[in-house]
Amino acid sequence: MSTAEETAGGETSAWGEVTPDAARRLLVAAVEAFAERGYHATTTRDIAGRAGMSPAALYIHYKTKEELLHRISSIGHAKALDILRTAARREGTPAERLADAVSSFVRWHAGGRTTARVVQYELDSLGPDARAEILALRRQCDAEVRGIIEDGVAAGDFDVLDVKGTTLAVMSLCIDVARWFNVDGPWTPDEVGALDADLVLRMVGAK
């Protein structure tokens, strides 16, 4: 799977809300460029060229390069929050909900790893206001996982001494998949999701 196919197909249900088509093409091109070269090394000319458009055409849809990154980050974090919230609020035991949250979150990071790398690792490239907005979404993501763990502790299903620290460890395990996952490697996104879900249940001492 090429970067373009992954970005536009693996997770582009997330980009379906970006209209018109030219704006979506530019956003997909920006994801590819930021993931490959980094935000600061990427120029608007790079992005426009990947989209098959002129640099002037980019400014019709996005005022700045940062606006593109902000849009990518907002959509990506909203999708991440939806994944975790859906798992946290489903029927089932805390262990079932936590396993669902982890496996789903990991699959998203593996299946859309190019997008996930930009969403998760370019936060510091945003300006103060945009960064604050994305950090608020991140805190909501953390809160969904922390809530499941707290439920498990309260029910006597989990043995966790530090809920906050454990939540950080769980989130880090999931997010880091975007850094190392290789589509040509030995595991599928589903297999990595199942593996990490099992590791997290062991981590919290699930009974």
Side-chain angles (χ1 to χ4, degrees):
M1 181 184 293
S2 70
T3 300
E5 287 170 334
E6 174 209 332
T7 306
E11 193 191 330
T12 22
S13 46
W15 308 135
E17 62 195 78
V18 180
T19 57
D21 179 68
R24 184 165 52 252
R25 284 164 49 203
L26 286 163
L27 186 141
V28 170
V31 170
E32 295 176 1
F34 294 157
E36 181 181 315
R37 306 188 62 186
Y39 174 80
H40 292 294
T42 297
T43 66
T44 53
R45 184 174 295 275
D46 294 332
I47 296 167
R50 285 173 183 263
M53 301 166 69
S54 70
L58 185 148
Y59 295 108
I60 295 173
H61 303 284
Y62 302 99
K63 294 178 183 178
T64 63
K65 184 176 71 168
E66 185 191 344
E67 184 179 335
L68 263 168
L69 178 60
H70 182 206
R71 183 79 166 130
I72 292 164
S73 297
S74 296
I75 294 172
H77 279 86
K79 177 61 176 176
L81 178 57
D82 181 62
I83 289 169
L84 294 171
R85 183 169 284 163
T86 297
R89 300 182 183 185
R90 57 160 280 191
E91 295 292 328
T93 67
E96 290 169 339
R97 289 156 52 213
L98 184 59
D100 188 15
V102 170
S103 61
S104 299
F105 202 38
V106 166
R107 285 197 306 271
W108 183 75
H109 282 84
R113 68 200 184 286
T114 303
T115 298
R117 281 201 298 271
V118 177
V119 168
Q120 299 292 5
Y121 297 115
E122 288 288 359
L123 176 65
D124 289 339
S125 299
L126 292 170
D129 291 344
R131 188 173 185 275
E133 178 187 318
I134 300 304
L135 282 173
L137 287 170
R138 286 197 176 200
R139 286 192 290 271
Q140 291 180 63
C141 289
D142 291 349
E144 295 296 339
V145 174
R146 186 172 63 251
I148 302 173
I149 296 173
E150 288 172 343
D151 288 348
V153 172
D157 294 343
F158 297 164
D159 183 12
V160 175
L161 296 178
D162 183 344
V163 171
K164 183 177 179 180
T166 301
T167 300
L168 176 61
V170 171
M171 296 297 284
S172 297
L173 178 68
C174 296
I175 290 169
D176 199 53
V177 169
R179 192 191 299 275
W180 62 261
F181 184 80
N182 183 348
V183 71
D184 297 318
W187 299 296
T188 67
D190 284 345
E191 289 170 338
V192 178
L195 171 64
D196 283 1
D198 179 68
L199 290 173
V200 166
L201 291 180
R202 294 171 185 269
M203 183 190 301
V204 298
K207 297 178 181 177

